[in-house]
Amino acid sequence: MSLRAQLWMVFLAPIALLAGLYAFGRTLDVPTLGRGYVIHLELPPAGEPADLPKVYGPQDRSRPLVVIDAGHGGHDPGASGQGYREKDLVLELATALRDRIVADGGVRVALTRDDDRFLVLGERFAIARALGADLFLSIHADSAGEIGEVSGASIYTLSNEASSEAAARFAARENSADMVNGVALAGENDTVSTILVELAQRRTQGDSAEFARLVAREGEGVLAFHPQPRRSAALAVLRAPDVPSVLYEAGFISNRNEAERLASPEGRQRFAEVMARAIRIYFARQSNAT
Ligand code: ZN
């Protein structure tokens, strides 16, 4: 028996038993406490794990839901440069976008993290899936190390084969966030068969590409894009098989001008307006298509 299974038996099985009794409306007499004492368990409503993030916007489940993922966090700062850390910068961008979407109305929005905490990559899209998200947007910022002049945003969608060597290096770096002391925390032990995942992924790939295209279109002339902004890479955070997912690299924080622009209120606002518009158009088209 694996260690995990043993832990389940020892710790979780009694809780599951109590939860089961609760679910069937029974109470459990505890003899040692005497008559009249019962155990009451507070359980979250079915289908809503207690630790899922808050959903902002209209509390109407028929409204589309976008989950915004600020990359990195906690002990993983991501890229750094010019006195900025990726984890802080992208959290500010994500929060600005959430507020913009809420202000525009009509679309529900949640953040995978709204503070400086670490989430493994699998957790990020697991949150999107658990909330029933219709779109997943992961926000990152890049660094070109000492090469200060490299700049521009890129829009990534998932590919099985990295579209270029640069994309492959990027995938390796972003995916390494799940490596702790050389041990991979996520991506293993998938219970869903690879074939089923791939079939579902193929369906969502088209939608992901459509959203990426809209971001490029709406951002043209407003956001500073890399000369080749549309990329694909084998990014673990984009692997939700049933939620269209895009990773937005907001720019290079190793470039002083870009770092300062992205960190400024105006830069954040410009980003939030473009993204919110792309999201709105994407959902409008999806609802027309069905
Ligand atoms: Zn990153």
Side-chain angles (χ1 to χ4, degrees), residues 227-245:
Q228 292 173 306
R230 289 285 309 280
R231 288 148 186 264
S232 57
L235 294 165
V237 77
L238 300 181
R239 283 190 191 278
D242 45 5
V243 185
S245 301

Side-chain angles (χ1 to χ4, degrees), residues 57 97 108 113-114 129 136 192 210 253 256 286:
L97 175 55
R108 297 183 299 143
R113 68 176 180 97
D114 60 3
R129 299 188 70 225
F136 178 79
V192 186
E210 166 70 1
I253 58 176
R256 179 173 294 281
Q286 289 286 311

Side-chain angles (χ1 to χ4, degrees), residues 72 78 86 140-141 174 249:
H72 309 279
E86 179 181 2
H140 287 252
E174 296 294 356
E249 280 280 348

